[in-house]
Amino acid sequence: MENSLVAALSVVTPSGHVSTHPMLPLYSRERKKLYLTSSVLFSKKVEYIKKNPKVGVLFSGRQFIKTPAYAVVHVKGDAKVYEDNLHEGWQWLVDLWRKKEPYIESFIKQRVALPLFWERIVIEITPREILVWDEGDVSSEPRMWRG
């Protein structure tokens, strides 16, 4: 999770359909939680999470995972939305973000050019179950962890 540049967040819509969104995953080993941020411009998924906090996050696609030991990982978890301080409430995640995308610093410095993009909602996911398919072999039985 720490080495993936893209993960697919799946949420359930009010009509019961699954809606999936590519996201930049930020994993905190210290907190044992997964974090995503969403611009207020693209916040429909956030409204869905507020109605049903059960989410899934899929880490797959070898080209998106920068690590020698590749695995497909699916996290099932409970999400919380933090949007009380859109302007600065997400900034504590910048260190995790910078580790994945060092060039993000230059974009942050220019954030006055895209102010609404930088008004960010934080989605915190507490894993309930993690499925791991070593070498990306999803035809095999996954290893499972339950919290």
Side-chain angles (χ1 to χ4, degrees):
M1 293 186 286
E2 292 169 302
N3 297 312
S4 180
L5 296 174
V6 178
L9 168 69
S10 293
V11 298
V12 179
T13 69
S15 63
H17 293 94
V18 174
S19 179
T20 302
H21 310 268
M23 307 285 289
L24 174 74
L26 303 170
Y27 180 71
S28 170
R29 246 179 221 257
E30 179 182 320
R31 295 175 184 227
K32 295 184 170 64
K33 299 202 187 260
L34 179 61
Y35 294 92
L36 310 167
T37 67
S38 177
S39 165
V40 294
L41 295 172
F42 309 106
S43 60
K44 193 147 204 139
K45 62 187 151 292
V46 171
E47 296 309 313
Y48 297 154
I49 290 170
K50 288 178 188 176
K51 291 179 178 146
N52 183 347
K54 302 224 178 297
V55 301
V57 182
L58 180 65
F59 296 82
S60 67
R62 184 69 181 114
Q63 69 273 29
F64 304 121
I65 300 172
K66 305 298 182 195
T67 182
Y70 173 65
V72 169
V73 176
H74 185 249
V75 176
K76 295 177 185 180
D78 300 308
K80 285 185 185 177
V81 172
Y82 296 95
E83 58 185 338
D84 52 326
N85 184 353
L86 297 173
H87 189 66
E88 296 176 340
W90 56 272
Q91 290 184 2
W92 69 273
L93 291 167
V94 169
D95 286 340
L96 292 172
W97 196 339
R98 192 180 291 121
K99 286 178 186 175
K100 286 193 180 195
E101 298 181 313
Y103 55 83
I104 195 65
E105 199 64 41
S106 64
F107 289 113
I108 291 173
K109 288 177 184 173
Q110 300 173 16
R111 68 188 216 184
V112 292
L114 296 166
L116 287 178
F117 179 80
W118 292 106
E119 297 293 306
R120 314 250 356 132
I121 298 165
V122 174
I123 302 166
E124 177 187 77
I125 300 170
T126 302
R128 280 184 288 108
E129 181 178 278
I130 299 174
L131 303 173
V132 178
W133 290 269
D134 292 315
E135 302 300 319
D137 181 9
V138 294
S139 67
S140 66
E141 283 295 313
R143 288 185 288 126
M144 185 185 324
W145 171 90
R146 284 201 173 120

